[in-house]
Amino acid sequence: MTEQTRTPKKNTGKVYLVGAGPGDPNLITLRGKYLLERADVVVYDYLANKKLLTHVPSSATFIYAGKKGGGLHAFTQEGINRLLVEKAKEGNMVVRLKGGDPFIFGRGGEEIEELAAEGIPFEVVPGVTSATAAATYAGIPITHREYTASVAFVTGHEDPTKKYSNLQWDKLATGAGTIVIYMGIKNLPSVTQKLITHGRSPDTPVAVVRWASTPKQRSVEGTLETITQVVKDAGITPPALVIIGDVVKLRSTIDWFEKRPLFSKRIVVTRTREQASELVAKLEENGAACFEYSTIHIERVADYQPLDKALANIVSYDWILFTSINAIKYFFNHLHSTGRDSRSLAGPKIAVVGKTTAEELGRYGIRADLLPDTFTGEGLAQSLLESQVGKGSKILLPRALRASEVLPETLTDAGAEVDVVPVYQNVPPQGRKEELRQQLVQGDIDLVTFTSSSTVTNFITMVAPEDEEELKQLMQGVTIAAIGPITAETIREAGLQVHIQPERYTIADMVRAIVRYYQTEQP
Ligand code: SAH
């Protein structure tokens, strides 16, 4: 944009240089998140986790500033500096999001100097730098009273064999207890040699940590003498940090991150948008890398007349049955929209299918009268029959438009009068289909979780296999977890095998079963 075409601005904006943290998107500061939530323009780096962009309003302008070591540079440093100045002059609130800490090998100083020279207001927000994160997530205390009282952060970008170096390797070699090298993979042979030449013992322990704090983290260990070969054999490429010093010995005791039971497992979570978070949170807590595909999208039904009719006569029912959280949500949404509240349900008794539905019902101030021992439709039918529900009982069942007929049929067979009333529907969503298929083709998925029959059918719709054979082929080597027997049955009907199924049909039990599976079945 030239000076002439630039819109004249009364107010110049401001540039916030924000540290994104080392990789895990939870490691950004609260200040950083606050600023992202208010940004007009975000200029982000290769090393800043893309998940952080979900904090930014979708109306903002997103600019990828690239700069991947050795690869194509989307922008030169001068280009980035100019861009920041230009966007601020247009009056924008600009967040410049940089991996780790902006002032540690991040060229943040140069960007700020340019802004200062142009008289543009700025602020710098520190971030967790990758050196401390890599050490922490590899189980290495970067300082320790018994091992070292100093630590040096060094760039390995500069080739130590060049004639005039800015780094005094002779002093560094023995001058700092722990040495952490950023951008050190390419020059690792010469760096380690230089340190040995200048008096550091060749036996000094060394750890190299790649993609620290993310599910992709990989770390290897060796000594100053062996680490180059170890890194080569393991195929470790940037971004990685080299940690040198006796503190590396503590790793054998402290390593916690990579030891979590589901560490590095790539898991597809097929659940509704609204409900995925609990499962994803629990899996990630155990170290898994989750890919969320909302194979179901929940919507209102087109026609609420059947529900209106039931509500008008609600006192005539003996029981209302809720078999899903969504049924409760949509039922009460509609109830409220008609100006009523929970008090209008005072007549009939209310039964739910399981613990989570009981909790959901509690949010509306209602305690369930019946909770079955087995958390399925059949279990609920059984418990109702045992509670003398049957001949002559009038039952209301608000539920999904398409659902299993087992519950209403069992009750009808026992002589009850069941009004099935649709209150919501599952529709398969569009988009991201190709991505999922691609991941399966490339063998990038370890496990797929299914939490209901419709997640299974919609998953298959998304993957769109030509036939059962192709589906089997795509799912070869992929472990399958089903939340309960009905879901498992649907999976088997599709020609697939179920590897994991918890005894109780809750998310917590399913996650425990997955953890147990990897602890026992897999070495
Ligand atoms: N400002 C950043 C560093 C940028 S220099 C910070 O404070 O962390 C880029 C180098 O940082 C990479 O070559 C690598 O050595 C290191 N690095 C950044 N993120 C990393 C990560 N998640 N795991 C390992 N090394 C990382």
Side-chain angles (χ1 to χ4, degrees):
M1 203 183 271
T2 64
E3 279 304 321
Q4 288 75 27
T5 56
R6 199 178 283 162
T7 346
K9 272 281 169 279
K10 281 190 219 89
N11 302 314
T12 302
K14 186 167 174 179
V15 176
Y16 296 85
L17 205 57
V18 175
D24 180 341
N26 292 306
L27 293 177
I28 192 167
T29 60
L30 290 176
R31 177 72 181 151
K33 177 169 173 267
Y34 175 92
L35 293 169
L36 284 176
E37 284 163 354
R38 286 157 182 80
D40 300 316
V41 177
V42 185
V43 183
Y44 61 99
D45 269 0
Y46 166 63
L47 285 171
N49 193 318
K50 305 299 164 286
K51 281 192 183 165
L52 288 169
L53 300 179
T54 58
H55 296 306
V56 181
S58 51
S59 56
T61 308
F62 296 79
I63 303 171
Y64 176 60
K67 291 228 294 171
K68 180 175 168 182
L72 266 183
H73 286 204
F75 275 93
T76 58
Q77 187 61 51
E78 293 65 39
I80 295 171
N81 297 353
R82 268 200 309 276
L83 180 74
L84 297 177
V85 168
E86 186 182 294
K87 290 292 171 197
K89 281 192 173 168
E90 285 169 15
N92 294 303
M93 156 7 174
V94 182
V95 171
R96 168 74 175 118
L97 190 64
K98 297 174 79 76
D101 183 279
F103 279 176
I104 300 183
F105 303 123
R107 303 187 73 169
E110 295 164 48
E111 291 174 15
I112 294 294
E113 278 168 327
E114 182 92 12
L115 295 169
E118 295 273 347
I120 289 166
F122 59 84
E123 177 182 322
V124 186
V125 181
V128 175
T129 190
S130 54
T132 56
T136 303
Y137 285 81
I140 302 165
I142 209 164
T143 72
H144 190 289
R145 285 202 330 170
E146 280 166 35
Y147 295 86
T148 169
S150 61
V151 52
F153 290 173
V154 180
T155 171
H157 198 52
E158 185 183 79
D159 185 350
T161 58
K162 82 175 190 193
K163 209 163 170 201
Y164 302 105
S165 170
N166 288 323
L167 287 162
Q168 295 182 290
W169 291 101
D170 53 335
K171 303 227 166 57
L172 272 172
T174 48
T178 308
I179 304 172
V180 186
I181 301 178
Y182 289 73
M183 301 171 278
I185 297 304
K186 193 165 139 255
N187 294 327
L188 195 57
S190 47
V191 166
T192 48
Q193 196 45 55
K194 212 74 174 174
L195 291 171
I196 295 171
T197 310
H198 289 292
R200 193 80 179 219
S201 163
D203 297 330
T204 311
V206 182
V208 171
V209 189
R210 182 170 195 258
W211 279 124
S213 81
T214 75
K216 285 190 287 185
Q217 178 174 317
R218 173 110 196 271
S219 49
V220 291
E221 262 179 81
T223 62
L224 266 188
E225 195 159 42
T226 63
I227 195 70
T228 298
Q229 194 60 42
V230 171
V231 162
K232 197 169 165 220
D233 292 346
I236 303 265
T237 53
L241 280 154
V242 185
I243 305 172
I244 302 164
D246 285 340
V247 282
V248 171
K249 285 183 196 151
L250 291 162
R251 187 172 141 72
S252 55
T253 323
I254 301 180
D255 185 17
W256 59 277
F257 184 71
E258 293 178 35
K259 292 251 166 72
R260 291 170 308 159
L262 300 181
F263 180 70
S264 80
K265 292 281 175 281
R266 297 154 303 176
I267 301 182
V268 166
V269 174
T270 54
R271 230 170 125 72
T272 61
R273 255 275 147 258
E274 297 75 14
Q275 297 170 346
S277 50
E278 190 198 351
L279 179 55
V280 170
K282 286 200 159 76
L283 291 170
E284 284 181 346
E285 194 72 16
N286 284 290
C290 290
F291 302 99
E292 281 181 69
Y293 288 99
S294 50
T295 61
I296 294 181
H297 178 69
I298 305 288
E299 271 181 13
R300 295 163 47 84
V301 284
D303 181 11
Y304 278 94
Q305 268 182 25
L307 179 59
D308 284 329
K309 211 172 129 212
L311 288 175
N313 271 313
I314 197 76
V315 285
S316 71
Y317 289 98
D318 300 305
W319 285 90
I320 306 174
L321 315 180
F322 289 110
T323 52
S324 73
I325 292 178
N326 286 316
I328 298 176
K329 279 190 181 147
Y330 281 82
F331 177 87
F332 280 96
N333 262 350
H334 190 76
L335 183 80
H336 294 160
S337 75
T338 64
R340 300 181 179 90
D341 63 26
S342 300
R343 287 170 300 177
S344 62
L345 307 181
K349 288 188 170 180
I350 301 184
V352 291
V353 74
K355 265 201 337 229
T356 40
T357 35
E359 274 166 26
E360 181 67 22
L361 190 65
R363 297 204 174 95
Y364 298 89
I366 299 175
R367 195 189 285 259
D369 296 293
L370 185 143
L371 179 73
D373 298 327
T374 316
F375 299 164
T376 59
E378 285 105 317
L380 178 56
Q382 209 51 46
S383 290
L384 284 166
L385 296 182
E386 282 161 17
S387 310
Q388 314 302 319
V389 177
K391 199 155 179 55
S393 305
K394 200 164 171 225
I395 298 174
L396 178 63
L397 177 57
R399 62 164 211 187
L401 189 61
R402 277 177 303 274
S404 154
E405 296 303 331
V406 175
L407 175 63
E409 274 171 11
T410 312
L411 295 170
T412 312
D413 288 349
E417 186 189 324
V418 185
D419 286 342
V420 175
V421 171
V423 292
Y424 71 97
Q425 59 181 329
N426 297 321
V427 288
Q430 296 306 310
R432 297 194 68 204
K433 278 184 179 177
E434 271 311 306
E435 199 180 327
L436 173 60
R437 202 185 152 85
Q438 199 58 21
Q439 282 181 314
L440 290 171
V441 169
Q442 291 173 353
D444 287 343
I445 298 299
D446 296 302
L447 178 111
V448 180
T449 59
F450 292 112
T451 49
S452 71
S453 289
S454 29
T455 59
V456 182
T457 39
N458 288 339
F459 173 83
I460 296 169
T461 314
M462 273 177 92
V463 174
E466 279 184 9
D467 50 24
E468 197 174 307
E469 265 323 295
E470 204 210 4
L471 179 66
K472 274 190 197 161
Q473 234 170 27
L474 285 168
M475 296 296 280
Q476 184 122 43
V478 177
T479 306
I480 296 180
I483 197 164
I486 303 204
T487 309
E489 194 46 46
T490 314
I491 295 167
R492 281 189 208 99
E493 277 164 16
L496 300 172
Q497 213 188 325
V498 177
H499 307 90
I500 302 170
Q501 195 187 316
E503 268 167 36
R504 281 159 28 110
Y505 322 137
T506 69
I507 295 294
D509 285 282
M510 174 142 139
V511 173
R512 270 193 287 273
I514 293 171
V515 167
R516 225 175 302 123
Y517 174 84
Y518 282 111
Q519 277 171 341
T520 54
E521 307 276 318
Q522 310 278 305

